[in-house]
Amino acid sequence: MANKTIAFIGTGNMSYAIIGGMIKNGFAPQSIIATNRNPEKLAKAHADFGVRTEQDNLKAVEEADVVVLSVKPQMMAELCQTFVDAGLDLSNKLFVSVAAGITVKRLREMLAEDVKLVRCMPNTPSLLGRGVSGLFAADIIDEEKTYIEQVFSSTGIAIWLEQESQINDVIAVTGSSPAYFFLFMEAIEEKAIALGFSPEQARALVQQTALGAAEMALSQQDISIAQLRANVTSKGGTTHAAVEHLKANQLPQTVADAMDACIARAEEMEQQI
């Protein structure tokens, strides 16, 4: 599918990041169409990446072989209805949805056709090229899977899921988890300020420590995360005292419960849309 045209319907921050990653990874700008109601955003996308732009979603869909639906879940039905009302031939197009809570079955109902479809769940670090995208495919061939993997690998890593229900699991593990890390960083930052550090010092200390810990995990793939923690936790020392306190207050179980709550909410959304 190297010569295929891909259209991003609703070029917000996430689509902008994906397009930027694609350009960096050698995709031809003229093979990419960005749509948005805001002409200023389209002008920026063209200026930054040289891609084609279009305010008319229908024209973009007509020209594209691959259509990325990058709108909010509550807007998806209305968007798809415009395609149906216009009588567009969608039979040979591959659709990609990045919307949470909309199943393959529901999206096909919205499009009134059993289209080829990929559900994708990227996370916000994709904006920096450090993201994770979970992918689930429905009725697509290997060539199409390879193309989609190349698209979403341009902003980090992409993994294929065997079951659609795993999309909700990915939301809990990677989609929502940046907020978990931020909450933990926030708690350390607040305590650092209470200890007398300036807000600027506290922010610098916390973010550099978080970055360093992440880099240690990335650079030592042969060592488990549990072992990395143990390596900096001398028994009877200060770190040991802090870690044991967190364990005694059920931090691991609290995290697990929070992830279960995330999955439950994703499942609820599937029933509401």
Side-chain angles (χ1 to χ4, degrees):
M1 298 188 70
N3 297 320
K4 299 298 185 182
T5 297
I6 182 170
F8 289 83
I9 308 301
T11 306
N13 290 337
M14 185 60 70
S15 290
Y16 189 87
I18 296 169
I19 291 170
M22 291 176 68
I23 297 300
K24 287 181 181 178
N25 282 273
F27 284 80
Q30 287 304 303
S31 71
I32 302 170
I33 305 173
T35 80
N36 196 291
R37 295 177 180 176
N38 187 330
E40 292 181 359
K41 290 186 177 181
L42 294 182
K44 179 173 174 55
H46 178 72
D48 289 349
F49 306 125
V51 299
R52 298 156 60 189
T53 61
E54 180 61 69
Q55 285 187 274
D56 188 333
N57 290 332
L58 298 180
K59 286 184 179 180
V61 172
E62 280 187 309
E63 292 188 42
D65 302 293
V66 179
V67 180
V68 180
L69 302 173
S70 185
V71 299
K72 294 179 180 179
Q74 60 268 30
M75 298 172 60
M76 188 67 78
E78 180 181 355
L79 173 66
C80 292
Q81 190 61 47
T82 64
F83 305 158
V84 175
D85 291 344
L88 298 184
D89 181 5
L90 308 178
S91 59
N92 292 319
K93 299 184 186 297
L94 170 58
F95 283 83
V96 181
S97 169
V98 297
I102 304 181
T103 64
V104 168
K105 179 182 178 183
R106 180 68 184 112
L107 192 55
R108 283 175 167 169
E109 289 173 351
M110 292 178 181
L111 292 168
E113 195 165 338
D114 286 343
V115 296
K116 296 179 290 185
L117 185 62
V118 171
R119 285 189 66 190
C120 174
M121 185 48 57
N123 65 0
T124 52
S126 298
L127 300 173
L128 302 176
R130 304 291 282 181
V132 179
S133 295
L135 304 168
F136 173 76
D139 302 321
I140 72 172
I141 62 176
D142 288 345
E143 180 188 9
E144 292 167 330
K145 287 186 71 172
T146 298
Y147 176 85
I148 293 300
E149 186 171 336
Q150 289 172 344
V151 168
F152 287 95
S153 293
S154 68
T155 58
I157 65 172
I159 62 168
W160 286 102
L161 309 173
E162 294 184 2
Q163 299 179 346
E164 185 176 8
S165 61
Q166 290 179 290
I167 284 286
N168 294 336
D169 299 339
V170 164
I171 293 173
V173 176
T174 67
S176 297
S177 62
Y180 317 159
F181 289 104
F182 290 144
L183 180 60
F184 199 77
M185 292 170 68
E186 181 184 356
I188 299 174
E189 181 185 47
E190 288 178 354
K191 181 60 177 178
I193 292 171
L195 290 171
F197 292 98
S198 70
E200 295 76 18
Q201 289 174 323
R203 172 69 181 258
L205 291 169
V206 171
Q207 65 189 21
Q208 188 63 27
T209 303
L211 176 62
E215 291 288 358
M216 288 178 71
L218 283 169
S219 65
Q220 301 178 75
Q221 294 290 317
D222 57 327
I223 303 176
S224 70
I225 292 176
Q227 186 59 49
L228 287 172
R229 175 186 54 76
N231 289 349
V232 294
T233 309
S234 301
K235 191 171 183 178
T238 56
T239 305
H240 183 261
V243 169
E244 289 303 305
H245 183 83
L246 291 172
K247 287 182 177 180
N249 283 275
Q250 304 298 314
L251 177 64
Q253 187 59 52
T254 298
V255 172
D257 291 345
M259 293 173 70
D260 285 340
C262 181
I263 293 169
R265 178 55 186 148
E267 292 172 346
E268 288 176 1
M269 290 174 64
E270 290 180 349
Q271 302 303 315
Q272 295 170 352
I273 297 176

